[in-house]
Amino acid sequence: KAGVTQTPRYLIKTRGQQVTLSCSPISGHRSVSWYQQTPGQGLQFLFEYFSETQRNKGNFPGRFSGRQFSNSRSEMNVSTLELGDSALYLCASSLENSYGYTFGSGTRLTVV
Amino acid sequence: QKEVEQDPGPLSVPEGAIVSLNCTYSNSAFQYFMWYRQYSRKGPELLMYTYSSGNKEDGRFTAQVDKSSKYISLFIRDSQPSDSATYLCAVNTGRAAGNKLTFGGGTRVLVKP
């Protein structure tokens, strides 16, 4: 059974640019959540999508956005990148009424 | 003050010892409690999930929740070098919050052969 797949694994961007990260959930999982992990702030919730609708949102600026497609795959976008956006971005998927979240290995974003 | 506090460690123990990890939380609305293990360069992996106060055991792992004290613990018996990782506690207020987890900062554990 394939796990949660995130692409790309590593990314280097310049300040001011924008970036799109991709997440393919486990087959059958319709809920996809995104988290940011940094050494200083730890793991912080960005947003959750279920059936193409954003169900919950964390305390991040509007530069962070996401979407989910009909096949449950999800993308997140960060516009006007800042140095502080350098982090590991993790995607997690789960069944509708389950707390069995499965995380991907993440995308390591470095902003220079 | 963070909603979930966790000692960052590192916690170093000899192989075979019991590893004791804990977290405290401030919001009594949290009802679901989880422990994740994260190896370097990997995403977190769910170890234990509990809902009510009390103990839950799964193999070498025991999770404890004391809602009255807002205190959660994870014990690892017969620790192995492969248990060396960062352990994260996470909490959730329930289905209304969706999949929004609030994490502790993580505790680094090193099990020495």
Side-chain angles (χ1 to χ4, degrees):
Chain A
K1 185 178 180 181
V4 177
T5 303
Q6 291 189 247
T7 57
R9 287 297 309 277
Y10 301 93
L11 207 49
I12 299 176
K13 289 287 188 178
T14 304
R15 270 183 303 174
Q17 287 187 313
Q18 74 166 19
V19 67
T20 299
L21 312 181
S22 180
C23 172
S24 293
I26 291 174
S27 178
H29 286 193
R30 295 165 62 192
S31 170
V32 174
S33 305
W34 289 89
Y35 290 81
Q36 181 197 65
Q37 187 173 30
T38 60
Q41 298 299 316
L43 266 158
Q44 293 185 286
F45 173 79
L46 280 157
F47 27 66
E48 179 202 4
Y49 287 87
F50 181 80
S51 293
E52 301 179 66
T53 301
Q54 187 179 87
R55 191 158 69 171
N56 215 332
K57 190 178 191 306
N59 296 322
F60 278 82
R63 299 185 297 107
F64 291 82
S65 62
R67 59 177 175 168
Q68 186 180 33
F69 302 96
S70 58
N71 61 358
S72 294
R73 191 177 70 85
S74 178
E75 290 181 346
M76 69 163 282
N77 184 278
V78 188
S79 62
T80 319
L81 284 165
E82 300 177 0
L83 295 178
D85 296 333
S86 295
L88 180 66
Y89 290 89
L90 291 158
C91 168
S93 75
S94 72
L95 293 168
E96 180 175 356
N97 292 313
S98 169
Y99 285 94
Y101 313 129
T102 301
F103 280 84
S105 293
T107 294
R108 171 84 53 190
L109 172 65
T110 302
V111 182
V112 297
Chain B
Q1 184 187 4
K2 291 187 176 182
E3 288 189 283
V4 182
E5 298 280 359
Q6 188 175 5
D7 189 324
L11 179 62
S12 182
V13 300
E15 183 176 355
I18 294 175
V19 176
S20 175
L21 304 164
N22 55 73
C23 290
T24 58
Y25 61 94
S26 56
N27 188 347
S28 58
F30 291 132
Q31 300 182 46
Y32 295 85
F33 309 93
M34 286 152 253
W35 284 95
Y36 283 84
R37 176 176 63 194
Q38 186 174 24
Y39 291 113
S40 179
R41 303 181 190 278
K42 295 288 187 182
E45 170 194 10
L46 180 66
L47 288 175
M48 301 283 287
Y49 151 56
T50 57
Y51 168 67
S52 57
S53 283
N55 293 359
K56 182 176 181 179
E57 192 171 315
D58 184 1
R60 297 186 296 114
F61 299 92
T62 299
Q64 282 186 352
V65 175
D66 182 347
K67 288 187 176 180
S68 62
S69 302
K70 300 188 183 66
Y71 194 86
I72 57 177
S73 302
L74 178 71
F75 301 95
I76 307 173
R77 291 182 298 281
D78 188 25
S79 59
Q80 304 296 311
S82 59
D83 293 326
S84 298
T86 295
Y87 290 80
L88 300 140
C89 61
V91 297
N92 183 292
T93 56
R95 281 264 58 94
N99 286 352
K100 178 181 179 180
L101 297 178
T102 302
F103 282 87
T107 300
R108 279 185 54 209
V109 172
L110 177 61
V111 180
K112 295 183 176 180

